[in-house]
């Protein structure tokens, strides 16, 4: 089944308008290590109960223990690792109820961001959002999972920025960070890339129309589907 073409034009990739919505400069080693470990855990390569030794991980990644410790701390906040004082870090998996609660909060925060974006977005931000959405459509058609996943971070960040509420951005980013491993993993589900882009299209269309309620509803639905996609993927590993 073919997807409808996006109504927006292709241009240059954007960056998030607000400094709080994008990470300035290069990625840190802790971020790279966190994503690598998260991918291994959500793929089942590091099963629950596996002990993660800081010294061994530092040697593996060629870094000091400091970025490893930071990566473990962030993964513990996501529920992927159980970090116990003097007992090391053990691979875990958040309960269904815990993960459901996290996604429910994420859906409401992002819905609020999308609604405010529809109401407050300025012309330059509109152009950046249109551009990125169109670029992601091309990534989807090429099946470029890596590029799409990275652009997806900027897509949501652009919507946060367009709402012009810095405090909401802080809350949303903090929750998104905890859910990042699961949001990234869900893209491995069959056909997820195309469906994600279609869901984004509904959000973007509502924002560009200035439809606050419609944008909030479309984003809330999108995050709920992301959660379902992850759960279906997790059942297969």
């Amino acid at each position: 089944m073919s997807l409808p073409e996006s109504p927006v034009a292709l241009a240059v990739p954007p960056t998030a308008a607000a400094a709080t919505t994008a990470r300035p400069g290069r990625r840190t080693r802790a971020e790279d290590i966190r994503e690598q470990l998260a991918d291994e855990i959500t793929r089942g390569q590091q099963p629950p109960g596996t002990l993660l030794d800081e010294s061994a991980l530092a040697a593996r990644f060629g870094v000091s223990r400091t970025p490893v410790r930071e990566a473990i701390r962030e993964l513990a906040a996501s529920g992927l690792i159980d970090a116990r004082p003097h007992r090391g870090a053990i691979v875990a998996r958040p309960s269904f109820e815990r993960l459901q609660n996290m996604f429910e909060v994420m859906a409401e925060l992002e819905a609020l961001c999308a609604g405010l974006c529809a109401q407050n977005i300025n012309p330059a931000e509109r152009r950046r959002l249109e551009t990125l959405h169109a670029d992601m459509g091309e990534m989807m058609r090429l099946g470029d999972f890596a590029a799409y996943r990275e652009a997806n971070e900027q897509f949501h960040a652009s919507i946060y920025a367009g709402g012009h509420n810095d405090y909401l951005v802080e809350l949303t980013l903090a929750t998104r960070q905890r859910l990042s491993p699961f949001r990234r993993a869900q893209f491995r589900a069959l056909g997820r890339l195309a469906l994600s882009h279609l869901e984004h299209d509904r959000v973007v269309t509502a924002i560009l129309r200035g439809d606050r309620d419609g944008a909030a509803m479309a984003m809330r639905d999108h995050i709920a589907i992301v959660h379902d996609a992850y759960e279906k993927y997790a059942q297969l590993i």
Side-chain angles (χ1 to χ4, degrees):
M1 178 178 176
S2 61
L3 294 176
E5 291 293 326
S6 170
V8 294
L10 201 63
V12 295
T15 56
T20 52
T21 61
R23 299 186 185 277
R26 293 180 297 177
R27 294 168 55 86
T28 67
R29 289 297 288 137
E31 289 174 322
D32 290 337
I33 294 168
R34 172 178 57 82
E35 286 195 359
Q36 178 66 32
L37 291 176
D39 284 347
E40 292 174 5
I41 294 170
T42 55
R43 284 178 182 270
Q45 296 169 350
Q46 299 269 17
T50 301
L51 178 65
L52 298 178
D53 180 80
E54 287 185 9
S55 297
L57 288 172
R60 171 188 168 186
F61 290 107
V63 297
S64 70
R65 293 173 64 176
T66 299
V68 171
R69 191 174 295 119
E70 175 63 18
I72 288 175
R73 185 189 66 79
E74 293 181 359
L75 290 172
S78 296
L80 283 177
I81 287 177
D82 184 8
R84 302 174 182 178
H86 312 300
R87 297 181 60 183
I90 299 174
V91 174
R93 185 169 293 176
S95 68
F96 174 82
E97 291 77 13
R98 171 71 172 172
L99 198 56
Q100 184 176 41
N101 289 342
M102 292 169 69
F103 267 104
E104 284 178 355
V105 172
M106 186 82 261
E108 293 305 316
L109 287 172
E110 293 228 23
L112 183 55
C113 287
L116 288 176
C117 185
Q119 175 180 289
N120 299 328
I121 192 170
N122 65 40
E125 291 165 340
R126 286 172 62 92
R127 289 192 294 273
R128 284 194 292 266
L129 183 61
E130 288 179 298
T131 293
L132 182 54
H133 180 52
D135 287 346
M136 291 177 72
E138 183 62 21
M139 296 170 196
M140 178 270 294
R141 284 183 280 273
L142 292 174
D144 192 339
F145 282 82
Y148 190 96
R149 289 199 311 184
E150 295 306 315
N152 186 60
E153 298 285 333
Q154 286 295 323
F155 176 83
H156 285 271
S158 296
I159 292 174
Y160 305 163
H164 294 272
N165 186 313
D166 290 344
Y167 183 63
L168 176 60
V169 169
E170 292 175 15
L171 294 176
T172 307
L173 284 175
T175 305
R176 182 183 180 85
Q177 180 79 354
R178 292 191 172 199
L179 282 171
S180 177
F182 312 105
R183 295 178 71 143
R184 289 174 62 84
Q186 55 96 22
F187 284 119
R188 302 189 195 111
L190 183 64
R192 183 66 197 129
L193 217 61
L195 291 174
S196 172
H197 187 66
L198 185 59
E199 293 154 24
H200 283 183
D201 195 67
R202 295 178 183 130
V203 175
V204 171
T205 298
I207 288 174
L208 297 182
R209 288 176 178 169
D211 180 359
R212 178 170 179 169
D213 291 341
M217 182 179 298
M219 183 62 85
R220 189 179 291 108
D221 290 344
H222 171 52
I223 301 301
I225 294 171
V226 168
H227 179 206
D228 290 344
Y230 171 75
E231 288 295 343
K232 290 176 182 177
Y233 167 78
Q235 292 172 7
L236 299 176
I237 60 176

